[in-house]
Amino acid sequence: MSLSSSTQNCIRKNEPMAMHTWFQLGGPALYFAEPENVEQLSEMLGWAASENLPVKMLGSGSNLLVRDEGVHALVVSLVHPHFCDIKVDGTQVIAGGGAKLGRVVTTAVHAGLSGMEELVAVPGTIGGALRGNAGTTKNDVGQWTKSVKVMTELGQIVDRPGEEILFDYRKSSIDEPIILEATFQFEEEDPRQLAKRMQKMWIVRKSKQPMGHQSAGCIFKNPSGLHAGELIDNSGLKGTRIGGATVSDRHANFILAEAECTASDVLRLIELVSEQVEQRMGVELEKEIEIW
Ligand code: EPU
């Protein structure tokens, strides 16, 4: 199957993925696409299927480690403004799959809509946030999700009501490859109160987590009733280093990558942390970040 020239123009070959992830690590994607509309998106899904090429959706690259050898896939990014729109409609906010979660949070707060303000500073796009049910220890995006518009592998667009979707800790039952749009339902509240709460959360988050470093947020999920960060800390692993990868001194569930770091350094450090926590604390940690 051949692609139309407009769709072809949105696809690049051997794109370095380090440019697209917060870790700034990893080899190239065989194909990398930034479609400009749903028609191009659907066309490229059909093309990838005909070429037997896996499709991988990139969010904001904040929860992702790409291996040094790169990705044999069509990596799709919904950064085009067509997929990033955010609209307020009464007590609902409708956001494109490529919109940043942080922008949705601030839009809701400014419109006097409460719910998501606690999620300030949680990175990622709406698509990534819904797929992994991003959130804090208390709240997650799933709880305000009224409906989600997805694209199937065959390029069909389907609306899925929120109550049909199962949201659990850092996972959801959405299994279609592409999240195009989501509608969130909030409650009305004084925007000044909301802004105050949001600022307070931002300060708390900033005091606990490393910011402005090459990292990917929390590496491991919290095991039921426990905190991965605390387990890693109590295993004495803060500051542990392999090559250019270090366990953060500020929050032990973060790995920081320095200039000379490779994806393989990070992978080896993740392995070491898992082994040590299992040996010392008797707890098996599950990775939160995606590894391609
Ligand atoms: N703690 C330690 N040592 C550390 C880090 C944490 O003892 O090095 C202890 C803290 O003192 C606290 C407990 O662990 O008693 C929990 O720490 P924190 O409040 O930082 O929460 P968390 O469970 O580590 C979760 C999310 C974060 C989210 C914060 C916001 C997960 C895996 N992590 O962290 O999400 O920002 O809550 O409250 O669910 C992410 O998902 O990438 C992420 C960073």
Side-chain angles (χ1 to χ4, degrees), residues 137 169-170 208-209 218 220 222 227 233 238 251-252 288:
T137 39
Y169 173 67
R170 298 296 177 272
K208 287 185 177 173
Q209 298 180 359
C218 286
F220 299 100
N222 283 338
H227 293 279
D233 192 355
K238 274 187 171 173
H251 194 300
E288 181 185 299

Side-chain angles (χ1 to χ4, degrees), residues 48-61:
S50 73
E51 298 285 313
N52 259 332
L53 206 59
V55 174
K56 290 194 176 286
M57 285 306 296
L58 177 72
S60 60

Side-chain angles (χ1 to χ4, degrees), residues 62-63 118 120-123 134-138 169-170 201 204-205 208-209 216-223 226-234 238 247-254 286 288-289:
S62 53
N63 198 37
E118 209 212 303
V120 64
V122 174
T136 62
T137 39
K138 289 193 222 106
Y169 173 67
R170 298 296 177 272
M201 286 311 302
V204 171
R205 195 80 27 89
K208 287 185 177 173
Q209 298 180 359
C218 286
I219 297 288
F220 299 100
K221 294 183 183 183
N222 283 338
L226 298 167
H227 293 279
E230 197 167 15
L231 292 166
I232 301 167
D233 192 355
N234 290 343
K238 274 187 171 173
V247 176
S248 164
D249 275 327
R250 190 182 276 249
H251 194 300
N253 200 6
F254 282 64
E286 189 190 336
E288 181 185 299
I289 63 162

Side-chain angles (χ1 to χ4, degrees), residues 29-74:
L30 182 57
Y31 294 101
F32 183 85
E34 292 175 345
E36 293 170 357
N37 52 51
V38 282
E39 291 74 27
Q40 288 180 348
L41 187 53
S42 153
E43 191 188 345
M44 56 183 73
L45 289 191
W47 171 75
S50 73
E51 298 285 313
N52 259 332
L53 206 59
V55 174
K56 290 194 176 286
M57 285 306 296
L58 177 72
S60 60
S62 53
N63 198 37
L64 171 66
L65 176 67
V66 177
R67 290 174 195 273
D68 295 317
E69 47 279 31
V71 205
H72 184 89
L74 167 70

Side-chain angles (χ1 to χ4, degrees), residues 26 31 62 86 99 105 111 119 133 145 154 157-158 171 178 197 204:
Y31 294 101
S62 53
I86 303 172
V105 171
L119 266 53
N133 196 19
T145 303
L154 301 173
I157 297 174
V158 179
K171 64 178 177 206
I178 303 197
R197 271 218 305 278
V204 171

Side-chain angles (χ1 to χ4, degrees), residues 10-235:
C10 304
I11 304 181
R12 302 192 286 272
K13 218 176 163 187
N14 294 323
E15 173 90 349
M17 286 301 292
M19 302 195 316
H20 298 283
T21 67
W22 278 30
F23 260 135
Q24 295 177 40
L25 300 172
L30 182 57
Y31 294 101
F32 183 85
E34 292 175 345
E36 293 170 357
N37 52 51
V38 282
E39 291 74 27
Q40 288 180 348
L41 187 53
S42 153
E43 191 188 345
M44 56 183 73
L45 289 191
W47 171 75
S50 73
E51 298 285 313
N52 259 332
L53 206 59
V55 174
K56 290 194 176 286
M57 285 306 296
L58 177 72
S60 60
S62 53
N63 198 37
L64 171 66
L65 176 67
V66 177
R67 290 174 195 273
D68 295 317
E69 47 279 31
V71 205
H72 184 89
L74 167 70
V75 174
V76 178
S77 166
L78 299 184
V79 285
H80 190 275
H82 180 82
F83 297 104
C84 302
D85 200 28
I86 303 172
K87 283 193 295 272
V88 177
D89 181 9
T91 51
Q92 297 185 348
V93 174
I94 301 139
K100 294 273 164 58
L101 175 62
R103 277 191 54 226
V104 175
V105 171
T106 48
T107 304
V109 165
H110 290 146
L113 298 176
S114 86
M116 270 195 194
E117 61 283 357
E118 209 212 303
L119 266 53
V120 64
V122 174
T125 59
I126 287 301
L130 282 168
R131 193 161 307 275
N133 196 19
T136 62
T137 39
K138 289 193 222 106
N139 296 299
D140 45 54
V141 290
Q143 72 200 78
W144 301 286
T145 303
K146 188 148 192 298
S147 63
V148 180
K149 189 183 281 181
V150 294
M151 185 180 274
T152 67
E153 273 158 27
L154 301 173
Q156 286 157 336
I157 297 174
V158 179
D159 272 310
R160 294 190 60 184
E163 51 288 4
E164 266 183 19
I165 305 168
L166 217 75
F167 288 105
D168 206 341
Y169 173 67
R170 298 296 177 272
K171 64 178 177 206
S172 77
S173 62
I174 303 171
D175 51 12
E176 290 84 2
I178 303 197
I179 294 170
L180 290 172
E181 191 182 271
T183 301
F184 301 103
Q185 178 68 56
F186 298 118
E187 308 265 313
E188 279 177 298
E189 206 183 315
D190 177 7
R192 281 165 306 181
Q193 293 300 325
L194 286 175
K196 262 194 208 153
R197 271 218 305 278
M198 184 173 72
Q199 279 158 6
K200 211 169 131 198
M201 286 311 302
W202 168 252
I203 293 165
V204 171
R205 195 80 27 89
K206 236 176 125 180
S207 71
K208 287 185 177 173
Q209 298 180 359
M211 294 203 175
H213 292 269
Q214 284 175 229
S215 81
C218 286
I219 297 288
F220 299 100
K221 294 183 183 183
N222 283 338
S224 178
L226 298 167
H227 293 279
E230 197 167 15
L231 292 166
I232 301 167
D233 192 355
N234 290 343
S235 303

